[in-house]
Amino acid sequence: MGLGSRIKHEFGFIHGNLSVLIVSWILMNLVGGIPYTYFSLYIEELGGTPFAIGIINFVSFAALASVQFLGGYLADAYGRRWLIVSMTFGVALSNLIFAFAPSWQYVLVAVLVQNLCLIYQPALSAITADSIPPEKRGFGFSIIMFLSNIASLASPLIAGVLFLHYGTLQGVRVGFLFVAAFYLVAAVIRIKLKETLVNAETRRIRVKELLKSYPRAVKEGFAVWKLLPRSMFFLFLINLIGSFSYALMDAYFVLYATEFLAVKEFEWAIIMTWLTAVMILTALPCGKLVDKYGRAKPLLASWLVYAPFPVFFLYGNMPLLYFGFFLFGVSNALFMAGYSAMEADLVPKELRGKEVGCNQFATYVLMALGGLTGGYLYENVSPASPFLLAFLLVLVCILLQAFFVKEPKRREA
């Protein structure tokens, strides 16, 4: 097979909706991480404490959770496109509230508005799964991750430069303005998306009708698990525990690194760039592994590789930090390709919106509780306690993955 034919064979599935989504993700990821590199330090500049950071995380994920059932229901009943396009504009504009917040309490308003707009997430997951052929799912999801991470490679470095030039407060504000501008461009590009749900209803949805739909959406979201394989339920359960575990630590990495590990702010930007680079370099090989050897083994490997990371971070010097984030990057690449592919394999097309909605609802509830718990532990027990608890929960994920998640016998279209 010639080079041109081989490239077409490997990448020919990237067209139409998938190409539109990838271009929009590249734009969004190019700047999306800029303000979040020092987000916890930004909250401290606005008068917040570690527990206030936990409260912000709780509101953020609670708002996300509250719209997942409805988002999944609307994606399966009325189609994916309209929800994705309209709400991407909402997410873009919400960054202006972050940029001009005079105190950390205003950030609460910003995260509430932004995460309610993320009602489109189930539709986005569904339209992506709809657009990738079953035999290319591992590679397809890793391509998306690869290209997105290449774009996001610049974010921590830009954040570091903004920090050196403007300081934490003004640097993060400028970062949010960049995000608002690039997200608006991505929203315009997403207008080109084509609907993938053949039987989507075309009538206009009214606010009153939306509210009435919510109880039905919740009921159908929970009911979908009766129709899905046992492995999907345990995959869902593992994801919940892992998400709670990660949320315990996420907002406190930069605080702990700068306060206890003597990492300077610009050095932190370099470490975050290193993490992104690792995920870029491992994304495509991990996707090929998932397509060649199945989904279950790479998923188990992802947890085994990730397990020592919280401890390495907690007790790390600079070399150990770089090694720990290397493990985290490899684990993330394996997990994203394996989980997305297995989820698409196990969930029929007509149920994907509801499954993703229910899945993400529960995930965000656990992440909300994880962020709040992490803040409480960090401030009232010890700064090390969220990381130690996260390590113990990862061990539970390893056991569940090893014994209860099996390779699907048949892959859904």
Side-chain angles (χ1 to χ4, degrees):
M1 185 182 295
L3 179 60
S5 298
R6 184 175 179 81
I7 291 174
K8 185 177 181 180
H9 175 73
E10 292 289 350
F11 300 97
F13 66 95
I14 301 177
H15 60 84
N17 280 348
L18 206 53
S19 61
V20 171
L21 290 172
I22 287 173
V23 171
S24 68
W25 276 321
I26 288 173
L27 285 170
M28 296 166 86
N29 284 310
L30 185 64
V31 297
I34 294 174
Y36 293 98
T37 303
Y38 302 117
F39 185 70
S40 295
L41 300 180
Y42 180 61
I43 301 304
E44 286 193 325
E45 289 280 341
L46 293 174
T49 65
F51 189 61
I53 295 168
I55 293 172
I56 289 170
N57 281 344
F58 177 82
V59 170
S60 173
F61 289 117
L64 269 174
S66 70
V67 295
Q68 294 307 304
F69 279 118
L70 188 56
Y73 172 77
L74 293 175
D76 285 345
Y78 295 93
R80 295 49 158 128
R81 180 189 174 276
W82 69 274
L83 198 57
I84 294 169
V85 174
S86 59
M87 291 298 104
T88 303
F89 279 101
V91 171
L93 294 173
S94 68
N95 285 285
L96 297 177
I97 309 175
F98 284 100
F100 297 107
S103 68
W104 72 268
Q105 288 87 350
Y106 282 81
V107 176
L108 280 175
V109 177
V111 297
L112 181 62
V113 172
Q114 184 170 90
N115 289 294
L116 289 177
C117 289
L118 287 173
I119 189 174
Y120 78 76
Q121 282 189 339
L124 189 62
S125 296
I127 204 171
T128 305
D130 295 347
S131 304
I132 302 176
E135 69 279 3
K136 289 284 187 180
R137 279 178 180 150
F139 188 59
F141 284 113
S142 65
I143 279 284
I144 291 169
M145 184 178 175
F146 173 76
L147 295 174
S148 298
N149 283 330
I150 282 183
S152 64
L153 189 63
S155 286
L157 291 176
I158 296 171
V161 171
L162 291 175
F163 168 80
L164 292 175
H165 191 71
Y166 295 107
T168 302
L169 185 64
Q170 294 304 320
V172 174
R173 290 191 191 281
V174 172
F176 275 118
L177 292 176
F178 276 126
V179 174
F182 276 69
Y183 276 37
L184 280 172
V185 176
V188 172
I189 290 172
R190 285 181 172 180
I191 293 173
K192 296 182 179 180
L193 287 171
K194 304 296 183 183
E195 183 56 59
T196 59
L197 195 64
V198 177
N199 61 343
E201 297 184 28
T202 56
R203 60 193 174 87
R204 175 177 289 185
I205 303 174
R206 303 183 186 279
V207 174
K208 186 176 180 180
E209 186 177 350
L210 279 177
L211 295 176
K212 287 183 177 180
S213 298
Y214 198 89
R216 180 181 174 186
V218 173
K219 182 179 179 181
E220 292 188 9
F222 280 117
V224 78
W225 294 99
K226 297 178 181 178
L227 307 173
L228 298 179
R230 182 170 175 263
S231 284
M232 186 62 229
F233 175 76
F234 279 103
L235 196 65
F236 162 67
L237 182 61
I238 293 165
N239 187 51
L240 290 186
I241 298 171
S243 297
F244 179 83
S245 169
Y246 182 72
L248 286 170
M249 306 180 290
D250 182 33
Y252 308 101
F253 283 132
V254 65
L255 293 184
Y256 191 88
T258 53
E259 292 176 13
F260 297 99
L261 301 178
V263 176
K264 296 178 181 178
E265 283 83 353
F266 191 74
E267 290 176 332
W268 182 251
I270 300 299
I271 292 172
M272 292 297 96
T273 304
W274 162 250
L275 171 62
T276 306
V278 171
M279 290 190 290
I280 290 170
L281 293 173
T282 56
L284 295 183
C286 288
K288 297 297 285 185
L289 283 173
V290 168
D291 283 338
K292 185 173 182 179
Y293 297 105
R295 320 325 192 183
K297 291 179 181 178
L299 281 169
L300 178 59
S302 75
W303 289 110
L304 292 170
V305 171
Y306 177 69
F309 166 68
V311 178
F312 285 172
F313 176 82
L314 192 59
Y315 300 108
N317 51 26
M318 195 61 74
L320 201 55
L321 284 176
Y322 275 98
F323 181 63
F325 277 104
F326 171 79
L327 295 180
F328 176 54
V330 173
S331 169
N332 191 58
L334 278 170
F335 181 81
M336 291 298 294
Y339 186 92
S340 299
M342 181 169 267
E343 183 181 42
D345 289 347
L346 294 171
V347 181
K349 186 174 183 177
E350 65 275 8
L351 299 177
R352 282 180 186 144
K354 298 183 185 68
E355 182 273 326
V356 172
C358 182
N359 195 330
Q360 292 187 168
F361 167 80
T363 298
Y364 292 139
V365 167
L366 267 292
M367 292 187 79
L369 295 174
L372 196 62
T373 303
Y376 177 82
L377 292 174
Y378 193 99
E379 189 170 314
N380 296 286
V381 179
S382 77
S385 55
F387 302 94
L388 294 174
L389 179 55
F391 169 71
L392 295 175
L393 291 173
V394 172
L395 300 181
V396 176
C397 292
I398 291 173
L399 293 174
L400 291 174
Q401 181 70 47
F403 292 105
F404 295 104
V405 178
K406 307 300 180 185
E407 202 67 37
K409 295 178 180 179
R410 183 180 66 87
R411 294 177 182 175
E412 296 290 342

